[in-house]
Amino acid sequence: PNNLQTIGDSAFAECKFSQLNLPSCMSSITLGESLFKNCKSLKTVVFSNSASTFALPKYIFYGCRLLESVSLSSAIRSFQEGAFYNCANLKEINIPASVGYFGNYVFGGCNNLTKITYHALECPNSSSLSLSMFYNKNNQHISSFTLYIPKGAKNFDNWLYLGPDV
């Protein structure tokens, strides 16, 4: 309902649905951590556009191993720790320019992630970016992916060097 204010931690954990359409009113609701944790049938997520900004909470899609398609709203301002942790089937993601913070382990365990498109024209400051966003909790990282940024984007130099193994 429109007057909903809070959805608690793990409220929809282990649900069996395969598609999720999140309405624009989500931005006015306090979202709990691990909200859709281990929804093993979830394949598609669509966030509707919203007027106000919000964050993807910690581990919101943790363990959604079949998740392959995510359509993100330009109202999302941050990916908190582990937002897509162990989404093993996620192959590509388009990140809106509005996202300016990435927590640790955001894409940890997303071993099939090969294409990341980030629409920002300028890299967020270094304190909002962490190379550990690509690591899992065993300090293993995605072995190969391509990062696409808009032509003319600035200040990505330090972020683009991920180490000799990437």
Side-chain angles (χ1 to χ4, degrees):
N2 288 337
N3 63 349
L4 184 65
Q5 295 179 352
T6 303
I7 301 176
D9 294 351
S10 304
F12 298 104
E14 301 184 22
C15 284
K16 306 289 185 219
F17 43 75
S18 62
Q19 184 173 345
L20 183 60
N21 292 308
L22 299 166
S24 60
C25 68
M26 292 298 284
S27 63
S28 60
I29 299 170
T30 301
L31 302 175
E33 295 178 10
S34 304
L35 197 57
F36 302 104
K37 181 178 180 180
N38 292 325
C39 290
K40 299 198 187 302
S41 299
L42 186 59
K43 290 183 178 182
T44 305
V45 175
V46 176
F47 283 89
S48 297
N49 283 324
S50 172
S52 56
T53 62
F54 64 104
L56 290 184
K58 289 181 177 181
Y59 301 102
I60 185 170
F61 297 112
Y62 178 98
C64 296
R65 300 191 61 74
L66 293 182
L67 185 61
E68 58 189 34
S69 175
V70 180
S71 176
L72 298 169
S73 163
S74 60
I76 297 172
R77 71 177 182 277
S78 67
F79 292 172
Q80 298 300 311
E81 183 175 307
F84 295 98
Y85 194 86
N86 274 345
C87 292
N89 210 37
L90 189 62
K91 292 178 179 76
E92 65 180 73
I93 190 163
N94 280 299
I95 302 170
S98 58
V99 178
Y101 175 82
F102 299 87
N104 293 333
Y105 317 123
V106 169
F107 298 114
C110 296
N111 296 329
N112 289 311
L113 185 61
T114 57
K115 181 179 178 183
I116 300 170
T117 304
Y118 186 27
H119 296 277
L121 288 173
E122 187 160 0
C123 188
N125 67 49
S126 60
S127 65
S128 66
L129 287 173
S130 170
L131 299 181
S132 63
M133 66 190 267
F134 300 106
Y135 283 73
N136 66 22
K137 292 181 179 180
N138 296 322
N139 286 325
Q140 298 168 325
H141 54 77
I142 298 171
S143 60
S144 178
F145 65 90
T146 303
L147 174 66
Y148 293 89
I149 55 176
K151 186 175 182 176
K154 300 185 288 185
N155 301 325
F156 277 84
D157 298 351
N158 291 335
W159 195 45
L160 293 178
Y161 178 73
L162 299 176
D165 298 332
V166 179

